[in-house]
Amino acid sequence: MVMAGVLAGCGSGGGGSDSGTITAYVYGDDAVKVQQAAVDTFNKTSKVKVKLVSVPGTDYVNKLRSAMGSPSAPDVFFNWGGGSIKPYVDSDDLVDLTSTIKNDATLKDGFLPAVMTAGGLEGKIYGVPMRGMQPVMLFYNKALFAEHEIEPPKTWEDLQAAIKTFKTAGITPFALGGSDKWPELMWMEYLLDRIGGPEVFRKIQDGDTQGWGDPAVLETARTVEELVDDGAFGKNFNSVDYGNGGAPTLLNKGKAAMHLMGSWEYSTQLGKAPEFAKKDLGWTAFPTVAGGVGDPANVVGNPTNYWSVNARTKHKDTAVAFLKTMASQTYAQALVDNGDVPTTSGAASMLSGSPNPQFASDQYEMVQKAPNFTLSWDQALEAQYATPLLTEISKLFAGKTTPEQFVAAMKAAR
Amino acid sequence: MPHHTPVAKRHGDRKAAVGDVGRPPVAWAVPGILFFAVFAIVPLAIAVYLSFCTWDGLDSPTLTGLDNWTRLFNDSEFGQAAWLSLVLTTVSWVFQTPVALLLGVWAAGRQRGRAFLSAIFFIPLLLSTTAIAMLFHALLDPNFGVIRTIGPWLGIDPDVMGSSTGALLVVAFVGGWQFMPFHTLIYQGGARQIPEVLYQAASIDGAGMVRQFFHITLPQLRHTATTSSVLMIVGSLTYFDTVLIMTKGGPGTDTTILPYLMYRTGFQTYDLGYAAAIATALVVVATGVSLLMVRLSGFGSMRSTREGM
């Protein structure tokens, strides 16, 4: 570990980037082909060429971190906005794009406003949206709902009634990959948003750890405790994961009725159980919570991913020109063809060409109409708070801490 | 550590070696020493230095004196992790040593099918830890794994990975399953070195199988046991990949052992100064344990098991 830092520090001592090229780091997964195509098109007309470096997903954060501290840092890089770029903002590594975007019609009007602001920090914009949206949605097994003659829950009472019905039938009401920890986070995010509104978390995100002391947080933690005690997630969710397909399989085999998950659940199901995905996979918004003050139209999840520009780049103009192509029709179309829902403002009309037009347009509408889009907490907070947060949430779900202890631990997080 | 005897011996050796034509000069060790310095000593020194700094991996490290260390001694999570590491190490040793010893002694013999079975026993060691962790993870899936079928039959709760004790035992078991062949191999080598005459003499005196095992095999394998135990204990203390893949430190923090805590602190929280303090503490503990083992077993005094033969 230390070696990595040291080697990166003294490795290419002052080499810098080659003249005439800018390097762009991207999270290496299936969607890279869309970015590669955009780069190829851009390079045809640009003097300064963009070189796309696809970093394997699991290594992305660490690789970026060590590269940014070294002379061979990328000029442009993929990120999740919010806390994921906070350290770079703090060490003056990023170009503030606020005025650039304000003065450029293509960028300013090109994207959904909620998405554009969700990636920024303290009112400033540091990134341009570059991939599909990933709101968290409540997925359900249509066949099971039909069999037990109930509707997908719209209110908290509906949800509790559904839990009862499915439990009696020996079906786990909600699939939950507790071993991965982050699926549990989604419950916290939606519950806090519905109970206390998005302001509660925004305060915390802006650096006030005492914000965890808000009564809505305690109420959220208590609700989680109740859900767990009620058996809403079954008994063994602590040893179920998402990554290896545990939780999605519970849903598509009819062993669990619902699954709160990011919109990528659709493609996961399409890959694992195509029949089920096409026929029996339903989706809806997170229900309202009794007594809550949050707008039920609010959404949580990952608004999208962003390109940010390294302040030390030698070709800032090229970088910005490249970022502008993200607002183009061609790029949005390529995302749609890949099964993603773009965050560009004119995307609605393209979605009919999506692999599942209904799913794509429901998702787009949900985000478009959302008064607020809260970025996933683990991305919104800096790593130093995000990791203890996931640990504390896991302890809460596992019944190792009380809601009061959870609040106290989060207030004390350093 | 007070290594009086060996130091004195080495001095004696050097005197005796003066003018010894066949011995290679010290210069031959230079590449080895350099290699060791670059890849072990220097990083270790940097880790120790970083443990007195705060560093997020981006800016330069800032010296903060003993901050990380005072935090370490007051951190209940570190305390829990240290305790879990200790438990895991003990469980692993207790589980692996008797089995490896018996299998090793058995594999040193000339029974029918021995070579074939030895080859089978050896397979787990050839697999990557990641593959093994993923395999057991799938087998122990509470909804779709074999554990669902055979668990209740064996009296095991299928949610074994979701319970605190269960998860830790699973980690110990999976590690043991993988590394037992290695220790078996060590014991096999040791057992093959025991002179046949000892057994011949013993059977002439009328000692049976069991007496032979306890009075010849076990004492003769003393140094082998030390070697194997030191490797096993240091291995368990630095155990990491299985935890990362199978439990991610959970449920809650119930399998967050020291190396995993270090990883989480360093590479998820980017608190590299504090992670370095944890790493340094781990090095100190592991070195201490190995030295203690070597000393208690008399291994360091370099006495041969064949003395008096």
Side-chain angles (χ1 to χ4, degrees), chain B residues 66-219:
Chain B
L66 288 170
D67 276 13
N68 287 326
W69 289 95
T70 34
R71 183 178 158 197
L72 189 81
F73 288 109
N74 294 314
D75 185 356
S76 62
E77 209 161 34
F78 175 81
Q80 188 202 20
W83 167 248
L84 288 172
S85 280
L86 189 74
V87 172
L88 181 73
T89 304
T90 314
V91 171
S92 301
W93 189 86
V94 170
F95 165 55
Q96 290 184 54
T97 301
V99 183
L101 175 69
L102 290 173
L103 271 179
V105 171
W106 175 82
R110 294 203 185 82
Q111 309 85 330
R112 257 161 59 120
R114 182 203 60 82
F116 178 68
L117 282 173
S118 295
I120 290 180
F121 291 150
F122 201 67
I123 289 173
L125 193 64
L126 303 176
L127 303 172
S128 88
T129 316
T130 312
I132 290 176
M134 289 176 77
L135 174 79
F136 274 96
H137 191 76
L139 292 175
L140 295 172
D141 185 297
N143 298 299
F144 306 105
V146 241
I147 188 85
R148 191 178 174 80
T149 329
I150 63 163
W153 188 65
L154 292 169
I156 301 171
D157 180 1
D159 189 28
V160 61
M161 298 275 292
S163 86
S164 314
T165 339
L168 195 68
L169 288 179
V170 163
V171 170
F173 174 80
V174 172
W177 186 80
Q178 186 188 5
F179 288 107
M180 227 175 305
F182 173 70
H183 296 282
T184 303
L185 200 68
I186 294 182
Y187 281 112
Q188 182 191 5
R192 287 234 170 112
Q193 295 294 314
I194 303 173
E196 202 69 23
V197 284
L198 292 179
Y199 293 103
Q200 289 163 356
S203 37
I204 290 168
D205 288 344
M209 282 281 284
V210 178
R211 276 194 77 151
Q212 286 184 16
F213 178 76
F214 281 105
H215 287 93
I216 301 170
T217 315
L218 264 192

Side-chain angles (χ1 to χ4, degrees), chain A residues 246-294:
Chain A
T249 315
L250 284 174
L251 185 69
N252 68 43
K253 294 253 193 229
K255 285 173 183 270
M258 294 169 272
H259 192 195
L260 185 66
M261 191 35 69
S263 58
W264 58 84
E265 173 78 355
Y266 182 80
S267 37
T268 305
Q269 293 290 3
L270 198 63
K272 284 184 189 301
E275 276 299 293
F276 167 78
K278 281 176 197 143
K279 209 167 113 269
D280 286 329
L281 181 64
W283 53 87
T284 182
F286 193 82
T288 58
V289 175
V293 298

Side-chain angles (χ1 to χ4, degrees), chain A residues 62 106 116 118 127 132 146 153 171 183 334 337 342:
Chain A
N62 284 327
T106 327
M116 195 61 137
I171 294 163
D337 295 342

Side-chain angles (χ1 to χ4, degrees), chain A residues 1-3 5-6 61-62 65 68 87-88 91 179-181 235-236 238-241 244 246 249-250 255 383-384 387 391 394-395 400 414, chain B residues 43 46-47 50 55-59 71 77 137 141-144 159 161-162 164 248-254 264 267-270 272 276:
Chain A
M1 134 200 112
V2 175
M3 284 305 286
V6 171
V61 178
N62 284 327
R65 186 100 180 184
M68 285 299 280
Y88 306 119
S91 49
S179 143
D180 275 329
K181 299 188 173 101
K235 281 199 178 65
N236 52 28
N238 274 317
S239 39
V240 173
D241 58 19
N244 288 352
T249 315
L250 284 174
K255 285 173 183 270
Q384 72 185 101
T387 316
T391 310
S394 155
K395 280 156 88 174
K400 309 265 172 204
R414 34 194 292 159
Chain B
I46 294 173
L50 279 178
W55 188 37
D56 65 357
L58 282 178
D59 300 321
R71 183 178 158 197
E77 209 161 34
H137 191 76
D141 185 297
N143 298 299
F144 306 105
D159 189 28
M161 298 275 292
S164 314
K248 298 178 190 77
T253 48
D254 290 337
R264 220 185 66 193
F267 296 102
Q268 291 185 337
T269 318
Y270 297 106
L272 291 151

Side-chain angles (χ1 to χ4, degrees), chain A residues 136-146 148-178 183-184 186-187 190 227 230-234 237 240-242 245-262 265-266 269 276 280-288 397, chain B residues 143-144:
Chain A
V136 173
M137 303 162 96
L138 186 59
F139 290 89
Y140 63 94
N141 186 323
K142 281 191 210 165
L144 286 179
F145 273 75
H148 294 92
E149 293 174 342
I150 46 174
E151 292 290 313
K154 288 203 164 23
T155 65
W156 200 247
E157 289 73 45
D158 292 352
L159 183 122
Q160 279 169 321
I163 291 175
K164 211 173 224 173
T165 311
F166 287 120
K167 257 173 55 188
T168 321
I171 294 163
T172 306
F174 291 98
L176 177 64
E184 299 177 334
M186 296 174 169
W187 280 93
Y190 260 129
L227 284 169
D230 274 3
F233 310 111
F237 64 89
V240 173
D241 58 19
Y242 184 84
T249 315
L250 284 174
L251 185 69
N252 68 43
K253 294 253 193 229
K255 285 173 183 270
M258 294 169 272
H259 192 195
L260 185 66
M261 191 35 69
E265 173 78 355
Y266 182 80
Q269 293 290 3
F276 167 78
D280 286 329
L281 181 64
W283 53 87
T284 182
F286 193 82
T288 58
F397 272 80
Chain B
N143 298 299
F144 306 105

Side-chain angles (χ1 to χ4, degrees), chain A residues 348-382:
Chain A
S349 59
M350 300 175 180
L351 296 175
S352 56
S354 168
N356 184 330
Q358 189 60 50
F359 179 66
S361 63
D362 282 0
Q363 199 182 326
Y364 187 80
E365 205 173 297
M366 193 173 163
V367 173
Q368 193 187 22
K369 288 189 178 156
N372 187 75
F373 197 141
T374 298
L375 174 60
S376 296
W377 293 359
D378 54 346
Q379 305 295 351
L381 296 176
E382 272 182 89

Side-chain angles (χ1 to χ4, degrees), chain A residues 45-125:
Chain A
T45 54
S46 172
K47 257 196 214 154
V48 178
K49 308 293 180 199
V50 177
K51 187 178 147 231
L52 194 69
V53 178
S54 164
V55 180
T58 43
D59 300 336
Y60 186 79
V61 178
N62 284 327
K63 169 98 192 255
L64 175 68
R65 186 100 180 184
S66 42
M68 285 299 280
S70 82
S72 54
D75 300 273
V76 172
F77 67 94
F78 164 106
N79 59 70
W80 290 264
S84 75
I85 52 168
K86 181 124 198 308
Y88 306 119
V89 172
D90 288 347
S91 49
D92 293 326
D93 278 341
L94 295 192
V95 175
D96 179 357
L97 295 167
T98 322
S99 59
T100 314
I101 289 170
K102 209 176 272 172
N103 300 325
D104 186 290
T106 327
L107 288 173
K108 189 170 160 253
D109 306 324
F111 301 94
L112 296 178
V115 171
M116 195 61 137
T117 42
L121 274 169
E122 288 154 18
K124 287 183 182 163
I125 299 173

